[in-house]
Amino acid sequence: MANTVNIKIDGIDVSVEAGKTVLDAAKKLNIHIPTLCYHEDLCVAGNCRVCVVEQEGVNNLVASCAIPAQKGMVIHTNSHKVRNARRHVVELLLSEHNADCTKCYKNTKCELQDLASEMVINEHMFMDLVPDKNYTTDKQSPSIIKDDSKCIRCQRCVRTCHDLQHVSALGVAYKGDHMKISTFFEHPMYEVVCTNCGQCVNRCPTGALIEKNYLDEVWDAIYDEDKHVIVQTAPATRIALGEDLGMESGSIVTGKMAASLRRLGFDSVLDTDFSADLTIMEEGTELLTRLKKALVDKDTSVKLPMFTSCSPGWVKFLEHTYPDYLDNLSTCKSPQQMFGALAKTYYAEKKGLDPDKIVCVSIMPCTAKKFEANRPEMRDSGYQDVDMGLTTRELAVMIKQAGIDFQELPDEKFDSLMGESSGAAVIFGATGGVMEAALRTAYEIVTGREVPFKNLNITAVRGMEGVREANIKLENVLPAWSFLEGVELKTAVAHGLTNAHQIMEAIHKGEANYHFVEVMGCPGGCIGGGGQPIPTTPEIRRKRAEAIYREDEGMAVRKSHENPEVQQIYREFLGEPLSDKSHWLLHTHYVKRKRV
Amino acid sequence: MPEIKELVTGLADKHGRTRESLLPILQGIITEERFISDDALTEVARELDISAALVYGTATFYSFLDTKPRGKFVIRICRTITCDMKGKKQIINTLEDLLKIRVGETTKDKNFTLLETNCLGWCHKGPAMLINDDVFTELTEDKITEIIRDYMRNI
Amino acid sequence: MPDKKLKRVDIIFNEDCNCNEVLTNSLKKSKDEILKEILDSGLRGRGGAGFPTGLKWKFASQEAEKEKYVVCNADEGEPGTFKDREILTRVPLKVFGGMAICAKVIGAKQGYVYLRGEYQFLKADLEKSLEEFHAVLKDIGFDFQIKITMGAGAYICGEESALFESMEGNRGEPRNKPPYPTVSGFRNKPTVINNVETLVDSFMICRIGSQKFMELGTTDSRGSKLFSISGDTPIAGIYELELGMALEDFVEEFGDGDTKAVQVGGASGFCVPRKKFKETIIGFEGVPTGGSMMLFNSSRSMYNVLKNYVEFFEEESCGQCTPCRVGCQQLKKGIEAIKKGEKSASYLKTLQKLAETMKVSSKCGLGQSVANSFSSIVDNFKEEMIY
Ligand SMILES: Cc1cc2nc3c(=O)[nH]c(=O)nc-3n(C[C@H](O)[C@H](O)[C@H](O)COP(=O)(O)O)c2cc1C
Ligand code: SF4
Ligand code: SF4
Ligand code: SF4
Ligand code: SF4
Ligand code: FES
Ligand code: FES
């Protein structure tokens, strides 16, 4: 094997692929080397220096995350010199750090704290630098809190926002002792290009970037006898929540989640999956309508490709970066917001509830959903449609706070009327899922037949490739859709905003010609959302996606238009997709935003 | 604002619109304006299609790419050891008296900003200072008074 | 004990050198011939790190990549160094010539001079010399262009990989190494980066021959070099001296009769106290220097000197890595606290250990060399630190 390198770590021989680092090699041997700036999703920075190891024949220590394994290297990961240096590095970080752990949201979930604990740091070796610093905390965003006094300057957030999201709302500013993580001119996160995706939050090792939590507000609502608190849970929460409650990644906890929500005291335990199915009905119809206008009526004001609009991070990205393409966005609200608008109208009406007394809480894999719920456009019910958006992580906190033994809970079902779901809705949680769900329905509407894929699984749009394309030829269509006869429906899927940017550039330059494009703001789609359990890594995303598809396969109903509650709401309330009532409650518009 | 836009467009035309043109463009703004405003940086970010936060981060890295308002003449006194030994403190005192500002401040009429800087490469002729790009060495209280008077006369 | 005496040399600024002629003749030689001259001369980089110049060129020449660069490091930011400015003022054609010769060896078509922002005033004249130089190259028919890029006030941009980052329009944050510049430098292409003086030396070696150069200096430190001499000396300035002399001789020549310490190599170099002048050799076998020699007489407080250096590093660190960014702040705060009596003298030991950690675990040469001045000053002038 020419492409492997043999080295020795702590006396053990190991061979790794050329190009792999010493850290990779140590992992292979199950030798744990502490890291802080390193993250599997990101390019290597090599700046925290906590991963240093000793290389025989080299005077200085080397950063194991950054140094490629080279033939014949002899490495010591736990020598006196190494331990000394690591200890110093952690002590130095702590000396710059407002280590107020008991008042910190990341208490017991913090990589810096873990290291300090591992090193048994009782007394600080160095002087406290915090009083000399003018640390500030930015709490203005409805999604994210940035507390500079907790920042260890590992730049994971900066690399996340740049490498994965192509947003770069955060950068490194100044140098030397003044170096800090900053937005443009230190403006509040709320006022800059930040999409609220929370990917940085998911990767921040400390409490410097955290979601804004609404735990107290939700508890208050639950305890308020006067309020009817409705909770909805997004597709991707049910395959990730378990991770924060001691379960393996990839565990499906739909039933336990419903049970726990009931025990927490929510009055109606409902499912965003229901409105995901509804989204398919509306968005599928919108697509077909757009196609008709474009192909038959030759209406040039109709914009194609149509973009999905269920990811609020993606929507805000487009509003900032490609404001000229807002008409390409489907006018459909996201499932969370459709749900909220219906909770305070349809659900209230059917259940005889006073909408004024309804509090609508959502459990989301996402921090951008908090922002979305607060958008001024999202008040069509006459109230704020969704009152509080919690992340998967926050729900796990509530479950722990309530002393619920999650793993031992029985499986329970969601309540009815807006609790029924199809497999198509579940797969919304993974990149490509909306596309697959939409195709399952749209194809059938147009041709009267099921999509021509084994078990309805459209594997071409699945997977973790950054941009994927799938074309489906429409043949033998029903008479009403004859204009689509022979048309090859061109679709594409992108996840993570860097890939979204790539696809947008291709579209903008006229290099790509699609009818329908699904974009999810987060890598992997919602399963890799910014509000999901930490850590989220490529491996964990893969396991969550597998779980999602397993859940889909196990469902009785696999297609959105076959969801009985969806059929019921059209029969009894909405009429048909794109009806006036749907337009009023389920559709929205977008705003152009500045690019700073 | 329109002038800034024009300035930035002109600089981008001259230096190009790649990331590599960023520093020359920012330096061009400094030459004209002595500091880079919020508006100017926004304009640069737009012209080069680089995130504004990254442009800001790059500008603030470099001591000479000021993002805080500065006077028409930016005075930078060397604070490094040999200049310090040769009496930079008295020079600063004299300047503070002459301009009626402290280090880090700008005169009310926005003509002078007084700053310290690190070694200027004139250590054998300390104390040394820069006024914008011009070098002055072997400073004495008399010499500095004369230099500042000259500048004041020519404003 | 050194066997070299202090000797003034005149190579760098030597005036009876027809630059265009040397350039023309040198470029006529094959790249292997030139490389051999440089290798044989034993020339080591004059920017501080002292890497053998011939080897550096050889590595870059062996890279298969077509696009390569020659970069002249004119960021001269080390406190107490000012010789590169003088070179660029007086003999710019020799610098450009050195770059062209290097370009010939490695196969580069484009060169850059990265000039520190503080030397903006030099730019117009340099551009003029460049015109002349480009015209000569055109006559010779050698395809090579040089551009001047300006720094903007950041000492760390003198570090080679930070310099490339800066040229690429980024913050000057040093990169991880390996890869080294000869493999992946500017624009991630093979790049030779040399100090201004190194390039002039290379050029002059092509003129006088490696033999003449080799005869000067010692086995480890061939040739002569420019010294920037400042501080408590009656004759501050720039002098070209043969390498390998004892510091004692140096002080004899340049001191004011009361020299208590010499800082060799600037803020990132070493402080040598009077009692060690005799045994200290100036060169790679002893105390190396990029040229900065700062003399202090007995009226000076070494605490002030150290504090000035530490403040310099605290501010000029790029800030990305923990040991350097936080370490510098701790060193400064620590010595202040000891001086004020807020910390006991034993805290100096903790700080010494910290400096050692900075040396072994910082990402680049800046953080790695803070310990040089810190430890050498603290070790030799402990009382001054405490009382
Ligand atoms: C913090 C730091 C600052 C440096 N500054 C300079 C400088 O101003 N000029 C220089 O030539 N080399 C400087 N160097 C050394 C360069 O990294 C590099 O080694 C040198 O340019 C190589 O050229 P040489 O081999 O000709 O010496 C610096 C290194 C460090 C770590
Ligand atoms: S960020 Fe970590 S170490 Fe810092 S206060 Fe919070 S829990 Fe403690
Ligand atoms: S905010 Fe968090 S991720 Fe970003 S640099 Fe600070 S500690 Fe690292
Ligand atoms: S939330 Fe997303 S867009 Fe905003 S700073 Fe973090 S990574 Fe960037
Ligand atoms: S040692 Fe200092 S200058 Fe070098 S990379 Fe680290 S912080 Fe930056
Ligand atoms: S994990 Fe290797 S330097 Fe931070
Ligand atoms: S110390 Fe002031 S110019 Fe060098």
Side-chain angles (χ1 to χ4, degrees):
Chain A
M1 290 209 281
N3 270 343
T4 59
V5 183
N6 298 317
I7 68 172
K8 201 191 266 295
I9 304 183
D10 297 342
I12 314 169
D13 290 309
V14 57
S15 72
V16 288
E17 246 174 84
K20 291 278 177 197
T21 62
V22 169
L23 181 66
D24 295 327
K27 274 195 189 149
K28 221 174 151 184
L29 293 176
N30 285 326
I31 294 173
H32 173 72
I33 298 175
T35 55
L36 280 172
C37 65
Y38 174 81
H39 193 286
E40 273 179 74
D41 275 333
L42 306 173
C43 68
V44 168
N47 61 32
C48 76
R49 313 307 283 179
V50 82
C51 72
V52 286
V53 294
E54 192 166 349
Q55 180 187 350
E56 273 184 23
V58 177
N59 257 335
N60 290 343
L61 301 175
V62 294
S64 59
C65 71
I67 190 142
Q70 285 147 309
K71 193 169 150 245
M73 265 183 170
V74 180
I75 299 287
H76 301 282
T77 71
N78 196 29
S79 67
H80 186 224
K81 197 168 165 183
V82 167
R83 284 171 60 92
N84 251 345
R86 276 193 201 147
R87 166 101 194 199
H88 273 154
V89 166
V90 172
E91 289 270 9
L92 288 172
L93 287 173
L94 289 173
S95 76
E96 238 188 353
H97 186 88
N98 169 22
D100 228 346
C101 298
T102 52
K103 284 196 266 170
C104 182
Y105 190 61
K106 287 297 274 294
N107 195 6
T108 75
K109 291 169 217 140
C110 166
E111 295 179 42
L112 178 62
Q113 194 188 44
D114 288 349
L115 268 180
S117 140
E118 200 173 287
M119 291 179 176
V120 195
I121 290 176
N122 301 322
E123 226 173 301
H124 288 173
M125 195 180 281
F126 303 119
M127 299 178 76
D128 185 8
L129 298 170
V130 177
D132 314 338
K133 307 258 171 187
N134 288 318
Y135 286 134
T136 53
T137 307
D138 170 12
K139 296 186 180 169
Q140 289 191 44
S141 153
S143 294
I144 292 168
I145 295 176
K146 175 170 176 280
D147 179 353
D148 291 348
S149 75
K150 307 270 189 229
C151 173
I152 58 167
R153 296 151 179 88
C154 65
Q155 304 191 27
R156 275 195 200 170
C157 54
V158 174
R159 283 174 285 147
T160 300
C161 201
H162 179 268
D163 301 2
L164 301 181
Q165 300 300 69
H166 196 85
V167 173
S168 288
L170 295 173
V172 186
Y174 298 97
K175 66 172 180 290
D177 52 329
H178 294 287
M179 183 269 215
K180 64 186 288 192
I181 306 303
S182 174
T183 54
F184 180 62
F185 263 95
E186 284 140 87
H187 290 320
M189 302 264 283
Y190 188 49
E191 286 175 15
V192 299
V193 287
C194 170
T195 67
N196 303 300
C197 71
Q199 286 301 314
C200 54
V201 172
N202 201 291
R203 282 171 191 74
C204 178
T206 68
L209 282 167
I210 54 174
E211 66 263 26
K212 180 174 263 182
N213 81 75
Y214 295 87
L215 296 170
D216 288 343
E217 288 84 344
V218 173
W219 280 121
D220 285 350
I222 288 175
Y223 291 137
D224 189 339
E225 292 291 326
D226 213 26
K227 300 280 189 214
H228 185 94
V229 189
I230 295 177
V231 65
Q232 52 162 321
T233 62
T237 54
R238 63 207 66 203
I239 47 77
L241 176 65
E243 289 170 30
D244 263 358
L245 297 160
M247 298 169 75
E248 289 282 305
S249 31
S251 310
I252 300 175
V253 296
T254 318
K256 290 186 196 304
M257 179 168 72
S260 68
L261 290 167
R262 222 162 259 133
R263 280 162 185 62
L264 288 174
F266 286 103
D267 299 302
S268 297
V269 178
L270 300 172
D271 201 356
T272 317
D273 279 15
F274 160 80
S275 48
D277 278 331
L278 207 54
T279 303
I280 291 302
M281 300 305 293
E282 294 290 327
E283 203 165 81
T285 315
E286 182 184 355
L287 174 66
L288 294 174
T289 312
R290 282 194 194 217
L291 287 173
K292 175 161 185 296
K293 284 190 184 154
L295 298 178
V296 181
D297 310 342
K298 307 283 176 214
D299 180 350
T300 47
S301 71
V302 169
K303 292 286 188 290
L304 286 173
M306 184 174 93
F307 303 142
T308 57
S309 58
C310 35
S311 166
W314 151 243
V315 168
K316 190 159 184 267
F317 175 78
L318 206 69
E319 289 177 326
H320 283 291
T321 320
Y322 297 97
D324 295 342
Y325 284 85
L326 294 184
D327 289 340
N328 293 64
L329 267 178
S330 159
T331 57
C332 288
K333 287 182 184 171
S334 72
Q336 161 178 276
Q337 294 306 138
M338 286 197 182
F339 187 100
L342 291 173
K344 294 188 179 179
T345 53
Y346 171 64
Y347 191 79
E349 196 179 301
K350 289 275 177 190
K351 298 274 175 181
L353 297 166
D354 177 358
D356 194 31
K357 303 240 157 74
I358 292 181
V359 176
C360 182
V361 176
S362 63
I363 311 295
M364 294 284 139
C366 181
T367 50
K369 291 281 171 194
K370 295 171 187 280
F371 167 82
E372 185 185 45
N374 278 289
R375 284 181 74 123
E377 300 89 359
M378 299 299 170
R379 310 177 66 92
D380 288 329
S381 64
Y383 304 89
Q384 178 164 326
D385 295 339
V386 173
D387 295 281
M388 299 115 177
L390 301 190
T391 58
T392 313
R393 294 191 291 266
E394 287 167 84
L395 174 58
V397 170
M398 287 186 74
I399 292 170
K400 285 188 211 162
Q401 286 177 337
I404 295 169
D405 185 351
F406 187 77
Q407 297 192 37
E408 293 305 315
L409 284 176
D411 285 349
E412 290 181 11
K413 293 219 163 319
F414 289 100
D415 293 329
S416 72
L417 217 53
M418 290 169 59
E420 196 76 58
S421 138
S422 76
V426 172
I427 58 173
F428 258 64
T431 164
V434 176
M435 181 60 70
E436 182 167 347
L439 290 177
R440 283 184 195 170
T441 290
Y443 189 88
E444 204 165 315
I445 292 178
V446 173
T447 66
R449 302 183 306 274
E450 288 194 334
V451 279
F453 300 96
K454 190 166 170 243
N455 290 335
L456 302 178
N457 296 341
I458 311 180
T459 43
V461 295
R462 296 186 181 183
M464 288 294 157
E465 197 65 36
V467 175
R468 307 184 294 284
E469 297 180 344
N471 299 336
I472 292 195
K473 196 148 190 171
L474 300 170
E475 284 169 319
N476 299 323
V477 300
L478 295 173
W481 304 99
S482 58
F483 67 93
L484 287 173
E485 181 61 43
V487 168
E488 183 157 60
L489 195 62
K490 292 195 179 126
T491 70
V493 168
H495 60 119
L497 294 172
T498 296
N499 295 317
H501 168 77
Q502 191 191 319
I503 218 169
M504 283 308 298
E505 285 299 295
I507 290 168
H508 189 65
K509 291 190 189 125
E511 292 160 2
N513 230 330
Y514 305 114
H515 296 111
F516 188 31
V517 177
E518 176 207 293
V519 181
M520 289 295 154
C522 290
C526 305
I527 52 152
Q532 293 283 51
I534 300 171
T536 297
T537 63
E539 171 70 12
I540 293 173
R541 279 196 295 270
R542 202 181 47 69
K543 287 192 181 153
R544 291 180 190 159
E546 274 170 20
I548 280 251
Y549 290 116
R550 250 187 297 131
E551 174 89 337
D552 167 37
E553 292 234 34
M555 306 277 292
V557 177
R558 305 277 309 283
K559 294 174 281 191
S560 299
H561 55 280
E562 290 176 0
N563 178 336
E565 286 184 352
V566 167
Q567 294 170 341
Q568 184 187 359
I569 195 174
Y570 278 115
R571 237 181 7 250
E572 297 177 4
F573 186 73
L574 291 171
E576 55 182 12
L578 303 190
S579 68
D580 284 351
K581 217 166 192 174
S582 315
H583 266 295
W584 162 43
L585 289 171
L586 308 184
H587 290 257
T588 186
H589 60 273
Y590 307 100
V591 291
K592 293 192 177 196
R593 296 177 197 269
K594 278 197 305 189
R595 236 198 122 173
V596 283
Chain B
M1 186 62 185
E3 304 96 81
I4 280 290
K5 208 177 157 94
E6 232 165 80
L7 173 64
V8 172
T9 315
L11 287 164
D13 287 342
K14 179 170 165 203
H15 297 291
R17 285 175 167 76
T18 63
R19 178 90 201 202
E20 279 175 21
S21 344
L22 179 58
L23 259 62
I25 290 174
L26 296 178
Q27 283 156 338
I29 298 173
I30 290 286
T31 309
E32 292 302 315
E33 308 279 319
R34 302 316 325 167
F35 82 103
I36 313 169
S37 63
D38 191 327
D39 287 342
L41 272 189
T42 309
E43 215 31 55
V44 174
R46 207 183 50 75
E47 280 286 354
L48 302 193
D49 195 16
I50 306 174
S51 128
L54 297 187
V55 172
Y56 178 69
T58 305
T60 54
F61 185 86
Y62 296 93
S63 313
F64 288 8
L65 302 180
D66 286 307
T67 50
K68 299 196 177 76
R70 299 292 187 218
K72 195 165 158 199
F73 299 106
V74 180
I75 307 172
R76 294 172 206 268
I77 325 276
C78 171
R79 72 152 82 87
T80 307
I81 190 69
T82 39
C83 286
D84 185 82
M85 284 159 47
K86 301 288 168 189
K88 84 134 215 242
K89 191 77 207 121
Q90 287 88 298
I91 301 303
I92 288 191
N93 289 343
T94 312
L95 281 167
E96 286 182 338
D97 286 349
L98 279 170
L99 301 170
K100 304 195 175 46
I101 50 171
R102 317 218 122 251
V103 171
E105 294 176 350
T106 299
T107 53
K108 275 218 182 65
D109 57 13
K110 301 222 164 53
N111 280 328
F112 294 95
T113 299
L114 185 57
L115 300 173
E116 285 184 302
T117 190
N118 288 323
C119 181
L120 290 169
W122 293 91
C123 327
H124 55 323
K125 294 187 173 172
M129 72 170 180
L130 285 177
I131 298 185
N132 294 348
D133 293 334
D134 296 324
V135 185
F136 300 88
T137 58
E138 294 175 301
L139 298 171
T140 58
E141 288 173 40
D142 289 347
K143 202 164 160 183
I144 193 89
T145 312
E146 201 170 309
I147 294 168
I148 295 301
R149 294 255 152 85
D150 266 355
Y151 270 89
M152 285 178 162
R153 258 197 299 278
N154 292 329
I155 281 166
Chain C
M1 280 298 113
D3 51 0
K4 290 283 172 187
K5 284 280 154 206
L6 184 134
K7 183 170 139 202
R8 299 200 186 189
V9 183
D10 176 30
I11 297 178
I12 302 274
F13 296 116
N14 182 296
E15 273 171 16
D16 32 84
C17 162
N18 183 329
C19 289
N20 295 344
E21 201 180 291
V22 178
L23 184 63
T24 313
N25 291 338
S26 305
L27 290 177
K28 271 186 201 141
K29 293 187 206 155
S30 77
K31 63 177 242 192
D32 290 335
E33 275 174 290
I34 304 174
L35 192 55
K36 186 166 184 310
E37 281 291 308
I38 305 295
L39 278 166
D40 287 351
S41 73
L43 173 65
R44 293 173 67 171
R46 299 311 196 211
F51 192 83
T53 306
L55 266 187
K56 197 186 266 190
W57 293 17
K58 187 171 157 191
F59 290 153
S61 76
Q62 286 165 344
E63 288 296 315
E65 168 69 48
K66 283 270 169 308
E67 192 182 332
K68 299 182 186 178
Y69 298 100
V70 180
V71 175
C72 167
N73 189 341
D75 196 51
E76 189 163 61
E78 189 63 50
T81 321
F82 38 88
K83 45 124 189 150
D84 293 340
R85 170 179 52 71
E86 190 80 1
I87 296 177
L88 291 165
T89 310
R90 287 169 56 186
V91 289
L93 288 178
K94 293 186 183 175
V95 181
F96 302 151
M99 292 174 74
I101 290 167
C102 174
K104 165 116 193 186
V105 171
I106 70 165
K109 299 207 161 25
Q110 183 67 52
Y112 294 88
V113 176
Y114 185 92
L115 186 65
R116 70 187 304 221
E118 289 83 345
Y119 294 169
Q120 174 74 37
F121 63 92
L122 280 177
K123 192 171 177 223
D125 284 347
L126 283 176
E127 300 273 15
K128 235 178 267 156
S129 311
L130 259 185
E131 258 171 55
E132 182 187 337
F133 172 76
H134 283 146
V136 176
L137 285 189
K138 201 166 168 204
D139 286 347
I140 306 172
F142 184 68
D143 178 13
F144 181 62
Q145 290 279 320
I146 295 176
K147 271 196 208 128
I148 298 173
T149 0
M150 295 303 302
Y155 164 69
I156 187 57
C157 289
E159 196 280 341
E160 50 201 23
S161 62
L163 187 146
F164 301 142
E165 287 294 320
S166 180
M167 282 174 62
E168 290 171 17
N170 302 323
R171 297 165 54 81
E173 291 182 357
R175 301 173 181 169
N176 288 306
K177 290 179 206 166
Y180 294 96
T182 49
V183 176
S184 175
F186 179 51
R187 295 178 180 157
N188 296 325
K189 300 293 179 196
T191 305
V192 163
I193 176 162
N194 275 129
N195 173 254
V196 175
E197 185 182 351
T198 314
L199 290 162
V200 176
D201 277 336
S202 310
F203 184 78
M204 294 310 283
I205 287 166
C206 286
R207 172 178 139 89
I208 62 176
S210 55
Q211 196 55 36
K212 274 238 171 66
F213 188 82
M214 256 191 75
E215 280 163 11
L216 292 167
T218 64
T219 324
D220 281 339
S221 315
R222 297 290 182 197
S224 56
K225 102 163 287 318
L226 287 182
F227 288 84
S228 309
I229 300 168
S230 67
D232 294 317
T233 161
I235 47 171
I238 294 159
Y239 299 86
E240 185 169 0
L241 304 173
E242 183 177 5
L243 283 168
M245 76 202 120
L247 187 53
E248 188 178 41
D249 292 355
F250 177 89
V251 171
E252 184 115 329
E253 179 88 3
F254 296 102
D256 62 358
D258 185 26
T259 309
K260 92 166 166 188
V262 180
Q263 179 76 18
V264 182
S268 53
F270 295 85
C271 181
V272 185
R274 185 183 290 148
K275 62 175 185 283
K276 294 190 185 148
F277 287 170
K278 210 186 198 96
E279 65 195 65
T280 303
I281 301 172
I282 304 304
F284 295 107
E285 59 271 70
V287 183
T289 171
S292 170
M293 303 292 276
M294 297 190 266
L295 293 88
F296 304 108
N297 68 22
S298 53
S299 74
R300 304 297 173 188
S301 149
M302 294 314 286
Y303 169 80
N304 284 347
V305 172
L306 180 59
K307 186 161 163 262
N308 192 282
Y309 290 162
V310 178
E311 276 169 352
F312 172 79
F313 289 125
E314 179 188 48
E315 187 182 347
E316 293 295 345
S317 151
C318 83
Q320 68 166 314
C321 81
T322 313
C324 172
R325 178 189 69 250
V326 197
C328 288
Q329 297 171 59
Q330 286 294 352
L331 292 183
K332 185 186 123 198
K333 199 169 164 117
I335 59 169
E336 281 173 351
I338 292 166
K339 191 79 179 176
K340 282 192 221 140
E342 292 164 7
K343 279 270 181 192
S344 73
S346 67
Y347 190 57
L348 263 184
K349 260 203 208 97
T350 307
L351 295 181
Q352 294 258 53
K353 281 194 198 139
L354 169 59
E356 184 56 28
T357 291
M358 293 168 68
K359 184 188 179 82
V360 297
S361 64
S362 289
K363 182 166 175 177
C364 88
L366 189 149
Q368 288 162 6
S369 55
V370 173
N372 295 351
S373 51
F374 190 85
S375 295
S376 57
I377 293 178
V378 169
D379 281 343
N380 292 305
F381 300 95
K382 201 169 201 153
E383 287 72 35
E384 293 192 34
M385 298 303 121
I386 301 168
Y387 306 108

